[in-house]
Amino acid sequence: MLTHIPRTAEAIAADRARYEEHQRKGLTAAPSALPAPSPRPAPEPTEVLGHLTIPGGWYDVLHLTAGERLRLAPEALGVSVSIAAWVAADPSERMNLPDTVKVQWTTELRKGRVVLTDMGRVLFSITEDSTGGAHDVLTGGSGAAAPFTPAFRSTRENMVLAVAKLGLDKRDLPALITFFAPITVDAEGVLTWNAERTQPGDWVELRAEVDMAVALSATRHPLDPCPVPEVPATQVQRLAALPVAADDPCRTATAEARRAFENNSRI
């Protein structure tokens, strides 16, 4: 039987000091300025490999080869797109948002940031983003208690159905990132929807850094106050790979990102 040994105030203070010093070094090494938001509307894409429309409240799955890009563009305000992703060759390695947030010292994932796996590799990079980071890594989309109607489909129900199509189980679902969901959290932990941060014509583009499987759910975010009952559709395009520059901001923005890309090269 394990016995709990209470920690002294001095030990707790020492741990806090070590953490704050580590945080200071991380923030000092972080970029002072990431790339500016992408323009609205999105430029016409080239080398489109595939296109699909996700109706409001629905879901879909797809596979990307390393280097290929995934462009998401809601047709109107009132829909947020949640994503879960896995390494295609071994889905036990999956998207890990807690580590993604910790190593980059921010919950604001935007153009120039990366999303990690639970093995410390880069799963995908955010190469374009017109919102400047108006995305949600905290809420996880709507749960099973949400009204299950064409206008208000549950993110959880969609994801459970999506992973089944990939041959996975709901236990394989990681924490989700939800794009086009302008959530901020204050010092008291209160989540707030900031509608002015998203606009018609918003879009994001993600670059696969490994071969990966992706599940997408396009539904109303539980904090979205949009009064319109219908949920707009989302346009999804799979685009061919482009050459990656040596100074690509996603690969050079932080020391942690550089190490994660080094992990990619070791496999």
Side-chain angles (χ1 to χ4, degrees), residues 26 42 57 71 220:
R71 181 180 289 193
R220 182 69 50 78

Side-chain angles (χ1 to χ4, degrees), residues 76 78 85-88 97 110 129 137 139 143-144 152 167 180-181 192 194-195 206 226 230 235 242 259:
W86 301 261
V87 174
L97 286 187
R110 50 176 291 189
D129 173 21
V137 299
T139 307
F152 296 98
F180 317 109
T192 303
N194 295 280
L206 314 176
C226 180
E230 294 78 17
Q235 299 300 320
L242 294 175
R259 285 195 292 269

Side-chain angles (χ1 to χ4, degrees), residues 187-225:
E188 302 301 320
V190 177
L191 297 171
T192 303
W193 184 271
N194 295 280
E196 70 280 358
R197 295 191 64 193
T198 52
Q199 302 293 329
D202 274 331
W203 62 294
V204 299
E205 199 167 283
L206 314 176
R207 182 179 64 217
E209 303 296 353
V210 297
D211 294 353
M212 67 179 195
V214 183
L216 306 101
S217 171
T219 187
R220 182 69 50 78
H221 191 280
L223 296 182
D224 186 348

Side-chain angles (χ1 to χ4, degrees), residues 109-177:
L109 299 186
R110 50 176 291 189
K111 184 177 179 179
R113 296 295 188 186
V114 298
V115 174
L116 304 182
T117 75
D118 48 14
M119 298 299 289
R121 298 199 291 161
V122 182
L123 189 58
F124 60 85
S125 300
I126 303 174
T127 55
E128 301 287 353
D129 173 21
S130 65
T131 74
H135 314 301
D136 177 22
V137 299
L138 301 172
T139 307
S142 54
F148 200 80
T149 71
F152 296 98
R153 289 289 298 271
S154 160
T155 303
R156 176 172 174 77
E157 294 294 335
N158 277 345
M159 282 296 179
V160 170
L161 295 170
V163 295
K165 286 191 172 182
L166 293 170
L168 303 174
D169 185 83
K170 62 184 178 182
R171 292 172 296 181
D172 298 305
L173 275 170
L176 307 178
I177 178 172

